[in-house]
Amino acid sequence: AAGVIQSPRHLIKEKRETATLKCYPIPRHDTVYWYQQGPGQDPQFLISFYEKMQSDKGSIPDRFSAQQFSDYHSELNMSSLELGDSALYFCASSLGNFEGRGSTDTQYFGPGTRLTVL
Amino acid sequence: AQKITQTQPGMFVQEKEAVTLDCTYDTSDPSYGLFWYKQPSSGEMIFLIYQGSYDQQNATEGRYSLNFQKARKSANLVISASQLGDSAMYFCAMRGDSSYKLIFGSGTRLLVRP
């Protein structure tokens, strides 16, 4: 079965540089979530999109922005990178059901992008 | 506010034995979902099992079962017949009614001994 695709898998950047992470959800999934997992930490929710509209926002720095495109893929743009941005960035997708409780809305995660800021 | 608590930072289990990983939660949402994910050392996050707050029966998926006690607000994961490949970090997570984001616990690192 097709899974969530993330690219690149590894990324090394210098401080103050920019980075773009890409996510391709499971086919027919309409909701995308971004999470950040620091070393030894649990994943922290950043932002989500449902049908190309932002649906929820978590602890995402103002230096970061994200969007979901017409083909449902999503990009996380990160500017003015700091050492503390070094982390594993996950994208997850689900089949949203915001009008009822019929689906489990299980989020399936991609393999992650490991970002290292030097 | 929602909260997930995993009180076991690390656990050992002998191969072929069963193990229970604890998870308690707190939420004011009337409807919610509870999830368990496995994170091997390679880093990916693998979905294991889901329990809805209104589900009458405990969820099972192969060797994984969820011991759901709603009154105690606990959702423990039971792994039967442990295998060496079960060695990983295990996260309990919750999705509330008002927001679809997942709130994670701090995780339990399981090591299966041969």
Side-chain angles (χ1 to χ4, degrees):
Chain A
V4 178
I5 297 171
Q6 290 188 248
S7 67
R9 295 290 308 275
H10 301 272
L11 192 57
I12 300 175
K13 291 285 185 178
E14 299 278 342
K15 279 196 313 183
R16 291 180 288 278
E17 285 190 325
T18 61
T20 297
L21 278 53
K22 296 185 178 182
C23 168
Y24 297 86
I26 292 171
R28 294 190 301 279
H29 279 193
D30 51 17
T31 309
V32 167
Y33 309 79
W34 286 96
Y35 293 86
Q36 177 192 57
Q37 186 179 27
Q41 305 289 317
D42 55 285
Q44 295 292 314
F45 171 74
L46 293 177
I47 195 166
S48 63
F49 294 88
Y50 169 65
E51 285 290 344
K52 292 151 280 184
M53 299 283 288
Q54 181 181 309
S55 54
D56 202 355
K57 193 173 181 180
S59 50
I60 183 170
D62 292 340
R63 301 176 288 108
F64 294 5
S65 65
Q67 57 181 322
Q68 186 179 32
F69 296 86
S70 58
D71 64 351
Y72 293 100
H73 94 272
S74 178
E75 294 184 3
L76 177 66
N77 298 293
M78 310 160 72
S79 63
S80 302
L81 286 169
E82 302 173 355
L83 296 178
D85 295 330
S86 295
L88 187 56
Y89 290 84
F90 286 109
C91 170
S93 75
S94 72
L95 187 60
N97 184 5
F98 283 73
E99 299 197 357
R101 290 282 137 215
S103 79
T104 67
D105 306 313
T106 296
Q107 294 179 30
Y108 295 91
F109 282 70
T113 294
R114 189 169 296 280
L115 172 66
T116 303
V117 181
L118 303 176
Chain B
Q2 299 174 339
K3 188 176 180 181
I4 292 280
T5 302
Q6 294 180 253
T7 57
Q8 306 154 312
M11 288 193 69
F12 291 97
V13 65
Q14 206 66 32
E15 192 179 9
K16 298 179 186 174
E17 291 186 348
V19 63
T20 298
L21 306 184
D22 295 341
C23 172
T24 58
Y25 61 91
D26 192 21
T27 181
S28 56
D29 285 346
S31 173
Y32 49 89
L34 295 157
F35 303 80
W36 277 92
Y37 288 86
K38 172 184 178 181
Q39 187 174 39
S41 57
S42 51
E44 68 264 38
M45 194 72 74
I46 302 167
F47 165 70
L48 294 178
I49 196 167
Y50 163 83
Q51 179 83 44
S53 58
Y54 288 112
D55 292 343
Q56 297 294 320
Q57 292 189 320
N58 287 342
T60 59
E61 288 286 349
R63 294 186 299 111
Y64 305 108
S65 60
L66 204 152
N67 184 0
F68 181 48
Q69 298 188 43
K70 195 170 182 178
R72 294 187 175 186
K73 293 190 174 181
S74 73
N76 299 338
L77 176 70
V78 180
I79 305 175
S80 63
S82 296
Q83 302 172 356
L84 296 179
D86 294 334
S87 294
M89 181 72 88
Y90 288 81
F91 287 99
C92 180
M94 177 170 62
R95 184 230 343 117
D97 204 16
S98 54
S99 170
Y100 281 63
K101 66 184 178 188
L102 290 177
I103 305 295
F104 287 84
S106 55
T108 295
R109 186 169 298 280
L110 177 67
L111 183 61
V112 181
R113 290 170 165 159

